[in-house]
Amino acid sequence: MAANNNPKYLSAPNDEINAKPLEQPLIMTTLSYEEAGQSSKGLEGDLSLDSEKDPPIGDSEKDADIFCCSSDPVSDLALDKLSILPCTNREEEASSSYCISNRDRESSQNSYAVYTEDARQCDHILLGQQQELFFCHELSPGSWFFLPHGTRVYNKLMAFIKQEYWKRGYTEVMSPNMYNMKLWETSGHAANEKENMFTFDVDKQEFGLKHVNCPAHCLIFQQRVRSYRELPMRLADFGVLHQNEAGGALTGLTPVRRFQQDDAHIFCTKDQVKEEVKGVLDFVDCVYTKFGFTYELKLSTRPEKYLGDLETWVRAEEDLEKALKEFGKPFLLNKGNGKFYGPSIDVRISDAVKKNIQCGTLQLDFQQPDRFKLEYSSSAEDEVKRERPVMIHRAVLGSVEQMFFILLEHYEGKWPFWLSPRQAIVCSLSEKHRSYAEKVRDQIHEARYYVDVDISGRKIEEKVREAQAAHYNYILAVGDEEAATGQVGVRLREENGSDFEVMSIEALLDVFKAQE
């Protein structure tokens, strides 16, 4: 279909979307609860801070310590937030090192207003409508419809992670969506998270839709006797999950009721924990670097109420800390704020308008293997000897839906070529070039790139402006010379002017391949 035949191809003009570029926040001496980031529910139902369950980070009893920190102890983000807090009187101004003058405060508030406007302009709902990516319907609240172009991006994200799975020794599995509540009672989710589950009766027995994959993966491990030779076992699952979020919270692609995660569980021996953790951290760095993100790492340690023995906790925390130090990135020590079943490393990214959002996570779990009585034969000399594996929960993207909206806003709708749902469009100079324009389209399509064609009778300048507004990465023009020589005129999305670089189709495809 020609782009001009569908008015919804049009996106906001480039100058209407001006979100701030992502900046690297420096390490903070303490972390306030307000700065702790948005909730990212999933793997274990609660991967990030919950105001009702977890104590605030940075309170008087559990301050966040710094390891491998930078020379500047306070981040630009923290100062931005502090600078707009009004002081109630002169005594407070005199006593607080963070209070600023009225003129500075006004300037900071103006900056904050600019950030707010930028956030509105790059809002993922607005961009999603403009680019025909997704929509939600009142008949299925919290469950989003991904349109063809949105599905392209969604599938690209999953394909990227699957490619990394292949490199990193993960094995993909698929598991059912509904289980008898006996499974959730064994895992402990029925006691702690039933109100967040969708439950129903099947043959007069209570069932629940899965909102996490870990119990299913325990059943897979339990399916037969395992040997130490099979460990580490890295099971990955993109299964559809459902969580019963409150209706009033359903404002966009997070939180949602139906979602998928790049969810994986690693079953390993105690001696393998450190290396597996380092592998996950390398995975996180690879993915976030690809997206152009910066991120912070946070090690959360044993809470006051915990399950298991102290010796196991101490060793687990030491393994995580050693892995982080060997990884070489700065990290925060978040004392006493781990999960009751094990310590964790959480990853927070900064988006285009300087919001902190938790996406990736890594959690050690000693309780699921105990609850499901998971065992492996631990000795070549004594095949009867059994030991419990350690279970590592991990996600890099987190919810694919949440990562979708983060990337959409981060890129301001201007997707990089490898992730773009509109990689190229072929524009004919006139009606007589229609056949060649379609031939070029077909060649690019056969090479498995997303390409459209505009063979309308409008002027080439109009076609180019519309293609730029729709954020096609490459705009290709064909006329008499191109048709005679088997070439195309090429212009990038960001380029202005009337010049097109002429190249062969083969050379163009080589350029495309280099950006995959």
Side-chain angles (χ1 to χ4, degrees):
M1 181 186 293
N4 60 292
N5 291 336
N6 189 347
K8 291 185 178 180
Y9 263 100
L10 291 176
S11 181
N14 295 351
D15 58 355
E16 289 187 10
I17 303 176
N18 296 305
K20 296 292 180 184
L22 187 68
E23 298 176 1
Q24 168 68 60
L26 301 178
I27 300 301
M28 293 174 281
T29 52
T30 60
L31 204 62
S32 71
Y33 182 62
E34 287 75 12
E35 293 167 342
Q38 298 181 358
S39 175
S40 177
K41 295 183 178 179
L43 285 175
E44 275 302 298
D46 182 15
L47 298 184
S48 60
L49 295 177
D50 187 309
S51 58
E52 296 180 357
K53 297 178 182 178
D54 295 310
I57 304 176
D59 65 14
S60 59
E61 295 181 359
K62 297 184 178 65
D63 287 343
D65 296 330
I66 304 294
F67 282 78
C68 310
C69 60
S70 64
S71 58
D72 187 349
V74 182
S75 73
D76 293 336
L77 173 62
L79 290 175
D80 283 344
K81 293 190 174 184
L82 288 166
S83 66
I84 63 171
L85 296 175
C87 295
T88 57
N89 55 50
R90 292 293 179 184
E91 291 181 359
E92 288 183 353
E93 284 193 355
S95 63
S96 174
S97 61
Y98 292 120
C99 290
I100 58 176
S101 68
N102 289 334
R103 179 180 299 175
D104 289 340
R105 186 181 301 113
E106 181 179 352
S107 174
S108 297
Q109 289 172 335
N110 289 338
S111 297
Y112 181 74
V114 171
Y115 290 156
T116 303
E117 176 63 15
D118 290 340
R120 186 190 70 79
Q121 293 289 359
C122 72
D123 177 78
H124 70 279
I125 302 300
L126 174 64
L127 293 172
Q129 291 174 344
Q130 291 170 341
Q131 296 191 4
E132 278 198 302
L133 301 176
F134 48 74
F135 73 94
C136 192
H137 198 280
E138 61 182 1
L139 296 180
S140 186
S143 301
W144 287 77
F145 293 79
F146 282 84
L147 297 168
H149 286 84
T151 302
R152 289 176 179 181
V153 177
Y154 201 106
N155 287 341
K156 281 276 191 175
L157 286 172
M158 293 203 296
F160 172 42
I161 297 299
K162 290 184 178 187
Q163 185 178 28
E164 290 299 317
Y165 282 162
W166 184 265
K167 297 176 185 176
R168 299 170 186 274
Y170 285 80
T171 300
E172 282 196 72
V173 296
M174 295 189 294
S175 53
N177 282 83
M178 49 184 275
Y179 298 88
N180 191 296
M181 286 304 294
K182 292 178 181 177
L183 175 78
W184 305 110
E185 290 166 1
T186 299
S187 68
H189 291 94
N192 295 295
E193 298 174 6
K194 188 175 181 180
E195 69 277 9
N196 296 324
M197 298 176 61
F198 288 102
T199 60
F200 47 91
D201 289 339
V202 177
D203 296 332
K204 298 181 180 180
Q205 297 185 64
E206 190 176 23
F207 276 65
L209 283 179
K210 72 173 177 180
H211 62 300
V212 292
N213 286 309
C214 40
H217 292 183
C218 287
L219 294 183
I220 291 174
F221 187 94
Q222 193 186 57
Q223 185 253 341
R224 64 170 173 79
V225 175
R226 302 291 177 179
S227 166
Y228 70 94
R229 297 183 181 90
E230 297 180 74
L231 304 184
M233 180 184 293
R234 309 180 186 102
L235 301 181
D237 195 338
F238 274 105
V240 173
L241 306 175
H242 287 84
Q243 188 149 289
N244 190 11
E245 295 283 356
L250 304 175
T251 57
L253 285 178
T254 183
V256 290
R257 287 177 174 165
R258 187 269 189 199
F259 59 100
Q260 289 176 267
Q261 291 183 317
D262 62 327
D263 195 2
H265 296 91
I266 302 171
F267 298 91
C268 63
T269 69
K270 292 178 181 178
D271 293 335
Q272 294 170 335
V273 168
K274 187 181 76 169
E275 290 303 313
E276 289 303 306
V277 170
K278 288 170 60 178
V280 173
L281 292 174
D282 181 74
F283 198 164
V284 167
D285 187 69
C286 168
V287 172
Y288 290 178
T289 299
K290 178 82 169 180
F291 293 150
F293 287 152
T294 54
Y295 59 89
E296 292 178 342
L297 300 168
K298 180 178 62 178
L299 171 58
S300 297
T301 59
R302 185 180 73 256
E304 292 182 5
K305 296 181 180 180
Y306 62 91
L307 296 179
D309 61 272
L310 182 59
E311 181 181 353
T312 301
W313 272 88
V314 170
R315 174 168 179 173
E317 291 172 359
E318 288 177 349
D319 285 340
L320 293 185
E321 186 174 332
K322 287 177 182 177
L324 282 165
K325 288 182 176 179
E326 291 181 18
F327 182 57
K329 300 284 187 180
F331 65 97
L332 298 168
L333 180 59
N334 189 21
K335 294 180 180 178
N337 219 26
K339 305 305 177 186
F340 67 91
Y341 49 80
S344 65
I345 298 174
D346 298 316
V347 189
R348 298 187 307 153
I349 65 171
S350 298
D351 72 358
V353 288
K354 295 188 176 182
K355 291 181 296 185
N356 285 328
I357 303 175
Q358 181 180 310
C359 295
T361 190
L362 179 155
Q363 301 169 357
L364 296 190
D365 187 349
F366 320 117
Q367 305 313 311
Q368 293 291 310
D370 274 342
R371 285 176 173 271
F372 283 91
K373 297 180 172 56
L374 304 184
E375 296 178 334
Y376 66 93
S377 60
S378 59
S379 172
E381 293 76 22
D382 185 0
E383 293 291 340
V384 178
K385 185 179 180 181
R386 299 286 190 266
E387 286 193 26
R388 290 270 190 267
V390 177
M391 186 177 187
I392 301 176
H393 306 257
R394 53 107 289 191
V396 180
L397 299 181
S399 160
V400 181
E401 282 75 4
Q402 176 176 261
M403 183 55 70
F404 193 115
F405 102 73
I406 293 171
L407 291 170
L408 180 55
E409 294 187 354
H410 173 55
Y411 294 131
E412 304 174 31
K414 300 174 185 176
W415 298 100
F417 179 81
W418 73 274
L419 197 53
S420 177
R422 295 181 173 91
Q423 293 174 315
I425 184 169
V426 185
C427 301
S428 59
L429 265 67
S430 68
E431 180 67 23
K432 67 178 181 178
H433 307 118
R434 172 174 181 168
S435 177
Y436 181 65
E438 292 178 333
K439 178 181 177 181
V440 172
R441 187 269 317 272
D442 292 344
Q443 285 181 269
I444 297 174
H445 176 77
E446 288 173 5
R448 303 190 69 82
Y449 297 103
Y450 296 129
V451 58
D452 294 310
V453 64
D454 188 340
I455 52 177
S456 66
R458 297 176 304 151
K459 293 182 179 180
I460 187 65
E461 293 82 6
E462 294 180 45
K463 297 180 182 180
V464 170
R465 282 197 300 270
E466 184 174 287
Q468 285 180 316
H471 299 319
Y472 282 93
N473 299 78
Y474 284 85
I475 303 166
L476 314 175
V478 295
D480 289 336
E481 180 180 349
E482 290 76 22
T485 60
Q487 296 180 308
V488 291
V490 181
R491 178 186 288 182
L492 298 178
R493 176 177 58 199
E494 296 79 11
E495 293 178 343
N496 294 314
S498 58
D499 294 334
F500 283 78
E501 180 183 356
V502 178
M503 63 175 64
S504 67
I505 304 299
E506 292 76 16
L508 178 65
L509 293 179
D510 286 341
V511 171
F512 287 179
K513 187 174 182 180
Q515 298 180 69
E516 292 179 348

